Amino acid sequence: MSQQQPTARSPRRTPSRAHRPRALAAAGALVALPLVTACGGGDDGKGADGGKAAPSVTAAPAAGVVAPAKVEVIAALTGCKAKIRIDADELRQGLCHTKKADYLITTFPEERFKETWLEEARVYGGKYLVGTRWVVSVKPALLESFRAKLGGTIRELRGIGPKPGGR
Protein backbone atom coordinates (compact mmCIF):
# COMPACT_ATOMS: atom_id res chain seq x y z
CA MET A 1 0.00 0.00 0.00
CA SER A 2 1.41 3.32 -0.93
CA GLN A 3 0.81 6.40 1.13
CA GLN A 4 -0.01 9.59 -0.65
CA GLN A 5 1.57 12.81 0.50
CA PRO A 6 -0.98 15.50 1.34
CA THR A 7 -0.93 18.27 -1.19
CA ALA A 8 0.40 21.53 0.15
CA ARG A 9 -2.16 24.30 -0.06
CA SER A 10 -1.18 27.77 -0.95
CA PRO A 11 -1.96 30.30 1.80
CA ARG A 12 -3.54 32.43 -0.89
CA ARG A 13 -7.18 31.64 -1.63
CA THR A 14 -8.20 31.44 -5.22
CA PRO A 15 -11.81 32.09 -6.04
CA SER A 16 -13.81 29.19 -7.33
CA ARG A 17 -15.06 29.32 -10.88
CA ALA A 18 -18.55 30.07 -9.59
CA HIS A 19 -17.33 33.23 -7.81
CA ARG A 20 -15.19 34.62 -10.63
CA PRO A 21 -18.07 36.30 -12.55
CA ARG A 22 -19.18 38.04 -9.34
CA ALA A 23 -15.66 39.26 -8.62
CA LEU A 24 -15.27 40.56 -12.17
CA ALA A 25 -18.64 42.32 -12.03
CA ALA A 26 -17.75 43.97 -8.71
CA ALA A 27 -14.39 45.11 -10.05
CA GLY A 28 -16.07 46.49 -13.17
CA ALA A 29 -18.60 48.39 -11.08
CA LEU A 30 -15.84 49.97 -9.01
CA VAL A 31 -14.03 51.08 -12.16
CA ALA A 32 -17.21 52.49 -13.73
CA LEU A 33 -18.49 54.28 -10.60
CA PRO A 34 -16.31 57.40 -10.92
CA LEU A 35 -17.19 57.68 -14.59
CA VAL A 36 -20.92 57.43 -13.96
CA THR A 37 -20.93 59.92 -11.10
CA ALA A 38 -18.71 62.38 -12.96
CA CYS A 39 -21.04 62.37 -15.94
CA GLY A 40 -24.28 62.84 -14.03
CA GLY A 41 -26.97 65.13 -15.32
CA GLY A 42 -27.24 68.76 -14.29
CA ASP A 43 -28.90 69.74 -11.04
CA ASP A 44 -32.34 71.15 -11.67
CA GLY A 45 -32.49 72.61 -8.15
CA LYS A 46 -35.33 70.32 -7.09
CA GLY A 47 -35.27 67.75 -4.32
CA ALA A 48 -36.42 64.16 -4.61
CA ASP A 49 -39.96 65.18 -3.68
CA GLY A 50 -40.07 67.84 -6.41
CA GLY A 51 -39.64 70.70 -3.94
CA LYS A 52 -36.73 73.10 -3.72
CA ALA A 53 -33.58 71.29 -2.55
CA ALA A 54 -31.45 72.78 0.20
CA PRO A 55 -28.04 73.94 -1.01
CA SER A 56 -25.49 71.18 -0.62
CA VAL A 57 -22.48 73.49 -0.41
CA THR A 58 -20.94 73.59 3.05
CA ALA A 59 -18.54 76.43 2.38
CA ALA A 60 -18.76 79.27 4.86
CA PRO A 61 -19.86 82.40 2.99
CA ALA A 62 -17.61 84.71 5.03
CA ALA A 63 -14.58 82.47 5.40
CA GLY A 64 -14.77 80.71 2.04
CA VAL A 65 -13.69 77.40 3.62
CA VAL A 66 -15.25 74.08 4.37
CA ALA A 67 -15.20 73.29 8.08
CA PRO A 68 -13.43 69.98 8.62
CA ALA A 69 -15.02 67.23 10.65
CA LYS A 70 -12.86 67.77 13.74
CA VAL A 71 -14.36 69.05 17.00
CA GLU A 72 -11.33 71.13 17.94
CA VAL A 73 -11.08 72.89 14.58
CA ILE A 74 -14.80 73.68 14.41
CA ALA A 75 -14.65 74.95 18.00
CA ALA A 76 -11.72 77.24 17.14
CA LEU A 77 -13.64 78.61 14.15
CA THR A 78 -16.53 79.50 16.49
CA GLY A 79 -14.25 81.08 19.08
CA CYS A 80 -14.09 78.48 21.82
CA LYS A 81 -12.03 75.59 23.12
CA ALA A 82 -14.24 72.52 23.30
CA LYS A 83 -14.33 70.17 26.25
CA ILE A 84 -14.62 66.65 24.79
CA ARG A 85 -17.62 64.83 26.29
CA ILE A 86 -17.78 61.76 24.05
CA ASP A 87 -14.90 60.15 22.19
CA ALA A 88 -16.25 56.99 20.54
CA ASP A 89 -15.76 55.17 17.24
CA GLU A 90 -19.07 56.47 15.85
CA LEU A 91 -18.79 60.10 16.97
CA ARG A 92 -16.88 62.72 18.94
CA GLN A 93 -18.73 65.42 20.82
CA GLY A 94 -17.41 68.54 22.44
CA LEU A 95 -19.10 71.15 24.63
CA CYS A 96 -18.36 74.82 24.07
CA HIS A 97 -19.10 77.45 26.68
CA THR A 98 -19.09 81.10 25.61
CA LYS A 99 -20.68 84.31 26.87
CA LYS A 100 -23.35 84.07 24.16
CA ALA A 101 -24.27 80.39 24.52
CA ASP A 102 -23.34 76.85 25.40
CA TYR A 103 -23.39 74.55 22.39
CA LEU A 104 -22.42 71.07 21.23
CA ILE A 105 -20.20 70.16 18.29
CA THR A 106 -20.56 66.57 17.12
CA THR A 107 -18.36 65.03 14.44
CA PHE A 108 -18.57 61.68 12.70
CA PRO A 109 -16.00 59.49 10.91
CA GLU A 110 -18.52 58.73 8.16
CA GLU A 111 -21.55 60.50 6.74
CA ARG A 112 -23.80 57.52 7.52
CA PHE A 113 -23.16 57.94 11.26
CA LYS A 114 -24.21 61.58 11.01
CA GLU A 115 -27.44 60.66 9.24
CA THR A 116 -28.21 58.01 11.87
CA TRP A 117 -27.59 60.57 14.63
CA LEU A 118 -29.90 63.08 12.94
CA GLU A 119 -32.59 60.43 12.54
CA GLU A 120 -32.42 59.72 16.28
CA ALA A 121 -32.39 63.46 17.11
CA ARG A 122 -35.60 63.87 15.07
CA VAL A 123 -37.51 62.63 18.15
CA TYR A 124 -36.45 65.77 20.04
CA GLY A 125 -37.02 68.19 17.19
CA GLY A 126 -35.15 71.48 16.94
CA LYS A 127 -32.85 73.21 14.52
CA TYR A 128 -29.28 72.17 13.86
CA LEU A 129 -26.40 73.41 11.74
CA VAL A 130 -25.33 70.44 9.63
CA GLY A 131 -22.21 70.06 7.52
CA THR A 132 -20.19 67.26 6.01
CA ARG A 133 -19.70 64.79 8.89
CA TRP A 134 -20.53 67.35 11.60
CA VAL A 135 -23.49 68.86 13.47
CA VAL A 136 -23.62 71.92 15.72
CA SER A 137 -26.42 72.21 18.28
CA VAL A 138 -26.84 75.86 19.28
CA LYS A 139 -29.66 78.29 20.08
CA PRO A 140 -31.76 78.92 16.95
CA ALA A 141 -31.03 82.66 17.19
CA LEU A 142 -27.31 81.97 16.65
CA LEU A 143 -27.59 79.50 13.78
CA GLU A 144 -27.11 82.08 11.02
CA SER A 145 -23.99 83.58 12.61
CA PHE A 146 -22.52 80.09 13.02
CA ARG A 147 -23.40 79.24 9.42
CA ALA A 148 -21.47 82.34 8.29
CA LYS A 149 -18.40 81.00 10.13
CA LEU A 150 -18.71 77.29 9.37
CA GLY A 151 -20.91 76.85 6.33
CA GLY A 152 -23.33 73.97 6.32
CA THR A 153 -27.11 74.06 6.17
CA ILE A 154 -29.70 74.68 8.84
CA ARG A 155 -31.95 71.67 9.31
CA GLU A 156 -35.17 71.71 11.26
CA LEU A 157 -36.11 68.34 12.69
CA ARG A 158 -39.70 67.70 13.69
CA GLY A 159 -40.23 66.20 17.10
CA ILE A 160 -42.85 63.65 18.03
CA GLY A 161 -46.20 64.49 19.56
CA PRO A 162 -48.47 67.49 19.04
CA LYS A 163 -47.11 70.86 17.99
CA PRO A 164 -46.80 73.46 20.77
CA GLY A 165 -50.03 75.42 21.16
CA GLY A 166 -52.03 72.80 19.24
CA ARG A 167 -54.37 70.11 20.51
Short mmCIF file of all heavy atoms in Angstrom, two decimals, residues 15 19-28:
data_model
loop_
_atom_site.label_atom_id
_atom_site.label_comp_id
_atom_site.label_asym_id
_atom_site.label_seq_id
_atom_site.Cartn_x
_atom_site.Cartn_y
_atom_site.Cartn_z
N PRO A 15 -10.36 32.20 -5.95
CA PRO A 15 -11.81 32.09 -6.04
C PRO A 15 -12.21 30.91 -6.90
O PRO A 15 -11.55 30.58 -7.87
CB PRO A 15 -12.24 33.42 -6.67
CG PRO A 15 -11.04 33.95 -7.34
CD PRO A 15 -9.85 33.39 -6.62
N HIS A 19 -17.43 31.88 -8.37
CA HIS A 19 -17.33 33.23 -7.81
C HIS A 19 -16.62 34.22 -8.73
O HIS A 19 -16.69 35.41 -8.51
CB HIS A 19 -16.59 33.18 -6.47
CG HIS A 19 -17.40 32.55 -5.39
ND1 HIS A 19 -17.17 31.27 -4.97
CD2 HIS A 19 -18.44 33.01 -4.67
CE1 HIS A 19 -18.04 30.95 -4.03
NE2 HIS A 19 -18.83 31.99 -3.82
N ARG A 20 -15.94 33.73 -9.75
CA ARG A 20 -15.19 34.62 -10.63
C ARG A 20 -16.08 35.65 -11.34
O ARG A 20 -15.71 36.81 -11.41
CB ARG A 20 -14.37 33.82 -11.63
CG ARG A 20 -13.16 33.23 -11.00
CD ARG A 20 -12.26 32.57 -11.99
NE ARG A 20 -11.17 31.92 -11.27
CZ ARG A 20 -10.54 30.85 -11.68
NH1 ARG A 20 -10.87 30.30 -12.83
NH2 ARG A 20 -9.57 30.34 -10.97
N PRO A 21 -17.24 35.27 -11.89
CA PRO A 21 -18.07 36.30 -12.55
C PRO A 21 -18.49 37.40 -11.58
O PRO A 21 -18.52 38.57 -11.94
CB PRO A 21 -19.29 35.51 -13.05
CG PRO A 21 -18.81 34.10 -13.20
CD PRO A 21 -17.78 33.93 -12.12
N ARG A 22 -18.79 37.03 -10.33
CA ARG A 22 -19.18 38.04 -9.34
C ARG A 22 -18.02 38.98 -9.05
O ARG A 22 -18.20 40.18 -8.94
CB ARG A 22 -19.58 37.36 -8.03
CG ARG A 22 -21.05 37.28 -7.85
CD ARG A 22 -21.36 36.93 -6.41
NE ARG A 22 -22.18 35.75 -6.40
CZ ARG A 22 -22.27 34.90 -5.43
NH1 ARG A 22 -21.57 35.06 -4.35
NH2 ARG A 22 -23.06 33.88 -5.51
N ALA A 23 -16.84 38.44 -8.91
CA ALA A 23 -15.66 39.26 -8.62
C ALA A 23 -15.37 40.20 -9.78
O ALA A 23 -15.06 41.38 -9.57
CB ALA A 23 -14.46 38.37 -8.33
N LEU A 24 -15.49 39.70 -11.00
CA LEU A 24 -15.27 40.56 -12.17
C LEU A 24 -16.32 41.65 -12.27
O LEU A 24 -16.01 42.80 -12.59
CB LEU A 24 -15.25 39.72 -13.44
CG LEU A 24 -14.01 38.83 -13.62
CD1 LEU A 24 -14.19 37.91 -14.83
CD2 LEU A 24 -12.77 39.67 -13.77
N ALA A 25 -17.57 41.32 -11.98
CA ALA A 25 -18.64 42.32 -12.03
C ALA A 25 -18.42 43.40 -10.96
O ALA A 25 -18.60 44.59 -11.23
CB ALA A 25 -20.00 41.65 -11.83
N ALA A 26 -18.01 42.99 -9.77
CA ALA A 26 -17.75 43.97 -8.71
C ALA A 26 -16.60 44.88 -9.08
O ALA A 26 -16.65 46.09 -8.88
CB ALA A 26 -17.47 43.25 -7.40
N ALA A 27 -15.54 44.31 -9.64
CA ALA A 27 -14.39 45.11 -10.05
C ALA A 27 -14.80 46.08 -11.16
O ALA A 27 -14.40 47.25 -11.16
CB ALA A 27 -13.26 44.21 -10.51
N GLY A 28 -15.60 45.62 -12.09
CA GLY A 28 -16.07 46.49 -13.17
C GLY A 28 -16.92 47.64 -12.65
O GLY A 28 -16.82 48.77 -13.10
#
